[in-house]
């Protein structure tokens, strides 16, 4: 029998069932998008009394793209042209011109990422397959601080809401990063890097409002403490309206509010030493519908209209010292506290992380990077009829070593490395990699890599249980559960990658990546045999392959017009070991939630010195989703196109007004059906305006 992933669903056993509405969409009429299009056309035709001048962003020579400094691939500064990995950099200007209001929305700018909005506060963000609300093979960091939850190994995106204007860049690696970043960096690494305090001096005030983003605000003030120390404070607040249910077109009851504040300080003790101290506090709350909501009495399955809330804070400190011969020592530590409450569970995490890194040159041909780390995770949970996770404290120890060898000066480099980790679940894990970079000419970079990465089990998969059905018995209420397995090993990936970057002209830049992933021990579930019952137990019983290509093309068509085209093709095939074809009683959500084709086209046009017009067109191929964790049924989400437009007016250097329209081609659009027990929600067309003032 083909068994279940969190989504490989057993037959429901409740005598009465509460199912989700169908995912079939129903168009709704609306005129707001027409008004926005008219405004954009008028803006295009507005005459300018000043001489037309291209924005600095559009006037940039695209050869500078190859010279962008990144840190996520080698865990130290290097040029994008020298990175033997599939990496894409989302700049602050990209974020600004896109008109997005959240980090997940900005991630859709990168090729190879599948980004879908589930509700006002929920997102599915994944790389190279395995999409889901708790996508667990993608490591997400903010300034090097891991933000995934150890309970499910996924990222709660409603808890990651730093001020967008303070982001310097987002480095998106598609492919494994376990050699440097450790377990869970399987299919990708996202590192959100904020600006240094000295780059955000003075004040910023931003206010916005619209039909969906009812209220959005941000404020920041940066100051110089002394000649060597700079600081900033920020505050952001958001109130987003609810969407609509896909079946009934009624209120989706998924509104969301967020409040976050934080600070950053940067200083230099002397020319060779620098330090950073930063922290955040946040609190948010949202509504949601849970159906079926399993209870221990008739009717067993109900609909629960409830709230979810989260709060927490973090503090990160780093110190770096460089010597005259180029050696560099970095110490970094962070403490992270989060508390999340939902109607089915409550979780509280306290995480302490310590990291040491040393970089040195061993002669003219070898560049060595090494490091060690320690992480302590303490999690406490509430126990309910729906979910049980035992309180626990877990430690993680790690060391890594990576050597970049110059085989041919300025032409050919070989990078070899490995990371060793010891965790309390699976013991010792090795994650080696080898990368080759060849630059046959100044404008060309060709690279290839072979790497092994692992994902260790989450707390739920190792020792937890969650309910997916309830039924009466002579002795009381019986439950069907997904049950943890303390004998489970790590999921394994062996990844083969190759890529090519070409600076064709100063106006044209091409980046291509190909990959083949060999997966083993991927988690599914099998019927529990000891003791035999109706429950499913987690097991590494799946294997398979994933392959595809990712393309990014930047074209500076003129001094006023810039175009960015991205395309991704991906295939994912999984099967239970020893059973080549899926049985009729099982559905592989990991395969059907992965779109085969994705494409994006962004255009940025400077109409004149004061007016800018930006457009973003996205195509997403058909996917499917399960409308209930308790039902073995799939509902298709047809292929669709998303169009965003925004018009920017800068009457003064310190003042900006922006009018934004999102999802303009559809009154509402179903983007994803979560594997959790919330009904399918269509994301409505959004129009909002905002004003930003720098002082």
């Amino acid at each position: 029998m083909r068994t279940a992933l969190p989504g490989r669903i057993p037959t429901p056993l409740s005598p009465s069932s509460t199912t989700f509405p169908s995912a079939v969409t129903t168009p709704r009429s609306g005129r707001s998008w027409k008004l926005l299009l008219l405004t954009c056309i008028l803006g295009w035709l507005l005459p300018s009394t000043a001489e037309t001048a291209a924005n600095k962003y559009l006037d940039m020579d695209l050869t500078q793209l190859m010279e962008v400094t990144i840190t996520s691939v080698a865990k130290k500064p290097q040029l994008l042209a020298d990175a033997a990995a599939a990496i894409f950099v989302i700049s602050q200007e990209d974020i600004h011109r896109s008109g997005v209001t959240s980090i997940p929305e900005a991630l859709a700018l990168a090729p190879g990422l599948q980004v879908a909005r589930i509700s006002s506060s929920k997102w599915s963000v994944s790389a190279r397959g395995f999409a889901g609300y708790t996508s667990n093979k993608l490591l997400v960091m903010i300034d090097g601080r891991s933000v995934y939850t150890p309970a499910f190994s996924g990222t709660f995106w409603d808890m990651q809401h730093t001020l967008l204007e303070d982001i310097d860049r987002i480095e998106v690696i598609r492919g494994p990063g376990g050699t440097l970043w450790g377990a869970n960096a399987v299919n990708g690494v996202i590192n959100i890097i904020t600006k240094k305090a000295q780059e955000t001096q003075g004040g910023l005030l931003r206010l916005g409002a619209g039909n969906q983003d009812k209220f959005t605000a941000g404020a920041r003030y940066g100051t110089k403490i002394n000649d060597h120390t700079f600081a900033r404070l920020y505050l952001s607040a958001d109130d987003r309206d609810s969407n609509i249910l896909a079946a009934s077109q009624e209120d989706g009851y998924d509104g969301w509010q967020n409040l976050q504040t934080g600070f950053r300080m940067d200083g230099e003790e002397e020319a060779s030493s620098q330090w950073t101290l930063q922290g955040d506090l946040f609190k948010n709350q949202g509504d949601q519908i849970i159906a079926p909501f399993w209870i221990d009495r008739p009717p067993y399955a109900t609909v629960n209209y409830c709230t979810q809330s989260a709060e927490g804070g973090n503090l990160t400190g780093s110190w770096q010292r460089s010597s005259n011969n180029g050696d560099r020592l970095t110490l970094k530590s962070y403490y992270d506290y989060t508390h999340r409450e939902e109607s089915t569970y409550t979780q509280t995490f306290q995480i302490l992380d310590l990291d040491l890194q040393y970089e040195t040159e061993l002669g003219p041909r070898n560049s060595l990077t090494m490091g060690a780390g320690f992480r302590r995770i303490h999690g406490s949970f509430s126990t309910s009829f729906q979910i049980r996770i035992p309180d626990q404290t877990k430690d993680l120890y790690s060391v890594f070593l990576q050597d970049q060898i110059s085989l041919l000066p300025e032409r050919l480099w070989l990078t070899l490395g490995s990371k060793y980790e010891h965790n309390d679940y699976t013991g010792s894990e090795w994650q080696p990699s080898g990368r080759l970079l060849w630059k046959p000419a100044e404008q060309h970079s060709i690279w290839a890599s072979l790497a092994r990465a692992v994902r260790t089990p989450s707390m739920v998969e190792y020792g937890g249980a969650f309910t997916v059905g309830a039924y009466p018995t002579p002795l009381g209420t019986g439950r069907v559960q997904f049950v943890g397995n303390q004998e489970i090993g790590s999921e394994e990936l062996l990844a083969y990658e190759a890529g090519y970057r070409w600076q064709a002209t100063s106006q044209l830049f091409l980046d291509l990546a190909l990959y083949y992933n060999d997966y083993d021990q991927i988690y599914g579930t099998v019927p529990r045999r000891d003791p035999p019952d109706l429950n499913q137990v987690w097991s590494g019983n799946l294997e398979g392959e994933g392959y595809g290509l990712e393309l990014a093309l930047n074209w500076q068509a003129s001094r006023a017009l810039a175009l960015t085209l991205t395309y991704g093709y991906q295939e994912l095939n999984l099967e239970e070991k020893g059973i080549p074809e899926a049985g009729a009683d099982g559905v592989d959500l990991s395969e059907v939630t992965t779109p085969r084709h994705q494409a994006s086209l962004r255009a940025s046009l400077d109409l004149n010195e004061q007016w800018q017009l930006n457009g973003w067109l996205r195509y997403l191929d058909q996917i499917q989703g399960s409308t209930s964790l308790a039902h073995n049924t799939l509902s298709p989400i047809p292929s669709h196109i998303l169009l965003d437009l925004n018009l920017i007016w800068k009457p003064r250097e310190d003042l900006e007004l922006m009018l934004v329209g999102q999802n303009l081609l559809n009154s509402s659009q179903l983007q994803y059906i979560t594997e959790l027990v919330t009904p399918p929600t269509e994301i409505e067309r959004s129009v909002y305006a905002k004003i930003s003032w720098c002082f």
Side-chain angles (χ1 to χ4, degrees):
M1 181 181 73
R2 190 78 185 276
T3 53
L5 286 167
R8 234 177 250 277
I9 311 301
T11 303
L13 296 174
S14 170
S16 63
S17 61
T18 303
T19 61
F20 290 160
S22 166
V24 177
T25 60
T26 302
R28 303 201 311 169
S29 61
R31 298 183 178 180
S32 55
W33 66 274
K34 297 178 181 178
L35 295 176
L36 180 63
L37 287 174
L38 179 59
T39 303
C40 293
I41 294 171
L42 290 175
W44 197 320
L45 298 176
L46 279 174
S48 172
T49 57
E51 180 183 356
T52 300
N55 181 273
K56 178 181 178 183
Y57 169 71
L58 297 184
D59 202 30
M60 182 183 71
D61 192 326
L62 288 185
T63 57
Q64 297 177 35
L65 289 176
M66 296 281 274
E67 299 172 0
V68 170
T69 300
I70 59 174
T71 58
S72 300
V73 174
K75 217 175 181 181
K76 63 179 182 180
Q78 67 175 157
L79 299 180
L80 177 64
D82 297 338
I87 183 168
F88 186 88
V89 178
I90 302 171
S91 68
Q92 167 57 221
E93 191 68 22
D94 292 331
I95 296 172
H96 174 240
R97 290 245 182 183
S98 67
V100 300
T101 59
S102 67
I103 290 175
E105 287 177 281
L107 294 177
L109 296 168
L113 287 190
Q114 179 186 353
V115 179
R117 193 162 201 157
I118 299 171
S119 68
S120 287
S121 62
K122 294 181 175 63
W123 294 84
S124 171
V125 180
S126 62
R128 297 179 175 178
F130 297 96
Y133 172 50
T134 56
S135 302
N136 53 29
K137 295 173 180 59
L138 183 66
L139 179 64
V140 182
M141 299 177 290
I142 299 179
D143 290 323
R145 173 177 58 88
S146 177
V147 296
Y148 81 99
T149 170
F152 304 101
S153 293
T155 299
F156 290 118
W157 288 105
D158 63 299
M159 296 164 56
Q160 324 305 329
H161 208 73
T162 190
L163 193 68
L164 289 180
E165 289 84 355
D166 286 349
I167 295 176
D168 179 67
R169 65 190 186 277
I170 303 176
E171 298 180 1
V172 179
I173 301 175
R174 295 99 61 201
T179 298
L180 296 178
W181 300 108
N184 302 319
V186 176
N187 276 7
V189 177
I190 295 174
N191 196 3
I192 302 160
I193 301 170
T194 60
K195 297 178 180 179
K196 294 182 178 180
Q198 53 264 47
E199 299 172 359
T200 54
Q201 295 297 285
L204 168 70
L205 181 62
R206 180 248 299 159
L207 294 172
N211 66 321
Q212 288 300 113
D213 289 290
K214 295 193 296 183
F215 174 77
T216 178
R220 176 238 290 154
Y221 186 75
T223 186
K224 180 178 180 180
I225 297 177
N226 56 45
D227 289 342
H228 305 287
T229 307
F230 299 84
R232 72 163 174 261
L233 297 171
Y234 79 89
L235 176 69
S236 68
D238 298 273
D239 183 359
R240 184 169 176 87
D241 200 7
S242 59
N243 294 284
I244 60 174
L245 296 176
S248 64
Q249 302 295 291
E250 296 178 354
D251 188 355
Y253 197 75
D254 64 342
W256 174 72
Q257 301 84 39
N258 174 77
L259 181 66
Q260 182 160 319
T261 186
F263 77 97
R264 174 163 177 159
M265 298 177 64
D266 293 281
E268 293 184 1
E269 297 177 359
E270 51 190 71
S272 60
S273 181
Q274 55 186 354
W275 58 269
T276 297
L277 183 66
Q278 60 190 109
D280 307 278
L281 293 171
F282 74 91
K283 183 178 180 62
N284 66 54
Q285 179 174 301
D287 301 321
Q288 66 178 355
I289 303 173
I290 298 180
F293 181 75
W294 299 102
I295 57 177
D296 59 357
R297 58 194 180 278
Y300 301 106
T302 65
V303 178
N304 187 13
Y305 291 79
C306 54
T307 61
Q308 58 178 348
S309 63
E311 60 184 14
N314 60 81
L315 184 66
T316 302
S318 64
W319 176 81
Q320 185 177 99
R321 183 175 182 84
S322 302
S323 64
N324 293 331
N325 61 3
D327 292 359
R328 181 160 45 199
L329 177 67
T330 304
L331 298 173
K332 187 169 187 175
S333 178
Y334 68 79
Y335 171 77
D336 198 342
Y337 169 85
T338 57
H339 177 77
R340 189 177 186 91
E341 291 188 14
E342 302 202 22
S343 60
T344 54
Y345 71 96
T346 298
Q347 67 174 35
T348 302
F349 278 106
Q350 299 180 68
I351 301 175
L352 175 65
D353 186 275
L354 306 172
D355 186 78
L356 170 68
Q357 181 172 313
Y358 180 66
E359 305 160 35
T360 186
E361 302 288 332
L362 298 180
R365 290 182 176 269
N366 292 75
S367 177
L368 193 65
T369 304
M370 63 188 76
F374 168 76
R375 182 178 300 173
R376 168 157 290 184
I377 302 172
H378 175 71
S380 57
F381 307 87
S382 65
T383 299
S384 69
F385 184 79
Q386 292 81 20
I387 296 180
R388 174 188 58 80
I389 307 175
D391 296 349
Q392 52 199 286
T393 300
K394 300 298 179 183
D395 294 336
L396 176 69
Y397 304 88
S398 66
V399 293
F400 79 90
L401 178 68
Q402 180 164 284
D403 186 16
Q404 184 182 70
I405 307 165
S406 176
L407 301 178
L408 294 175
E410 305 301 322
R411 282 290 180 264
L412 186 64
W413 296 264
L414 174 65
T415 302
L416 300 174
S418 183
K419 185 158 193 167
Y420 167 79
E421 287 186 327
H422 185 276
N423 66 81
D424 292 338
Y425 289 160
T426 63
S428 298
E429 299 287 356
W430 290 91
Q431 300 186 77
S433 69
R435 300 181 182 274
L436 191 66
L437 174 70
W438 178 39
K439 299 177 72 173
E442 185 178 354
Q443 297 82 14
H444 302 267
S445 294
I446 301 172
W447 60 270
S449 72
L450 172 63
R452 179 181 186 268
V454 302
R455 184 179 81 85
T456 56
S458 67
M459 291 181 174
V460 167
E461 293 159 337
Y462 185 80
F466 60 92
T467 301
V468 296
Y471 57 95
T473 73
L475 300 178
T477 300
R479 282 185 289 185
V480 180
Q481 294 183 309
F482 284 179
V483 182
N485 179 5
Q486 297 189 6
E487 302 299 322
I488 198 170
S490 294
E491 294 185 325
E492 300 178 6
L493 165 67
L494 190 60
Y496 306 83
E497 297 181 275
Y500 173 56
R501 296 186 184 95
W502 178 33
Q503 187 70 61
T505 69
S506 60
Q507 288 80 39
L508 187 64
F509 175 72
L510 171 72
D511 192 344
L512 173 67
L514 307 171
Y515 71 92
Y516 177 83
N517 290 341
D518 185 4
Y519 296 101
D520 195 14
Q521 306 286 55
I522 300 301
Y523 298 159
T525 60
V526 296
R528 187 163 70 174
R529 303 299 184 190
D530 187 19
D533 54 26
L534 296 175
N535 293 327
Q536 299 274 318
V537 63
W538 292 103
S539 174
N541 62 314
L542 300 172
E543 62 184 0
E545 62 179 6
Y547 55 89
L549 66 87
E550 296 142 355
L551 171 71
L553 183 68
N554 294 82
W555 180 34
Q556 188 73 52
S558 69
R559 287 178 57 85
L561 177 63
L563 300 172
T564 300
L565 171 68
T566 64
Y567 170 76
Y569 169 81
Q570 54 187 349
E571 290 276 1
L572 180 63
N573 302 302
L574 296 177
E575 60 187 31
E576 189 173 359
K577 293 182 178 181
I579 304 178
E581 299 295 338
D585 59 348
V587 176
D588 192 332
L589 283 185
S590 295
E591 297 177 0
V592 298
T593 58
T594 300
R596 182 170 296 178
H597 302 279
Q598 293 187 98
S600 168
L601 176 63
R602 287 185 288 132
S604 296
L605 177 65
D606 281 0
L607 304 175
N608 54 44
E609 194 173 39
Q610 296 179 324
W611 293 86
Q612 300 169 359
L613 178 64
N614 302 285
W616 185 12
L617 192 68
R618 282 195 294 156
Y619 168 81
L620 297 100
D621 208 357
Q622 174 179 301
I623 60 174
Q624 298 185 70
S626 175
T627 57
S628 170
L629 195 60
H631 289 265
N632 183 31
T633 58
L634 289 176
S635 183
I637 301 176
S639 59
H640 54 275
I641 296 175
L642 303 175
L643 173 64
D644 296 353
L645 291 173
N646 67 73
L647 185 66
I648 301 174
W649 178 39
K650 295 182 178 180
R652 300 188 332 212
E653 190 67 26
D654 60 349
L655 187 65
E656 177 183 287
L657 289 86
M658 176 183 283
L659 179 63
V660 182
Q662 298 176 316
N663 191 27
L664 293 176
L665 298 181
N666 312 286
S667 59
S668 60
Q669 176 64 54
L670 180 66
Q671 298 184 17
Y672 191 83
I673 302 174
T674 176
E675 69 276 15
L676 299 181
V677 283
T678 54
T681 304
E682 293 182 5
I683 308 304
E684 295 191 67
R685 177 184 296 131
S686 171
V687 177
Y688 75 91
K690 71 173 182 177
I691 181 171
S692 301
W693 176 42
C694 296
F695 57 93

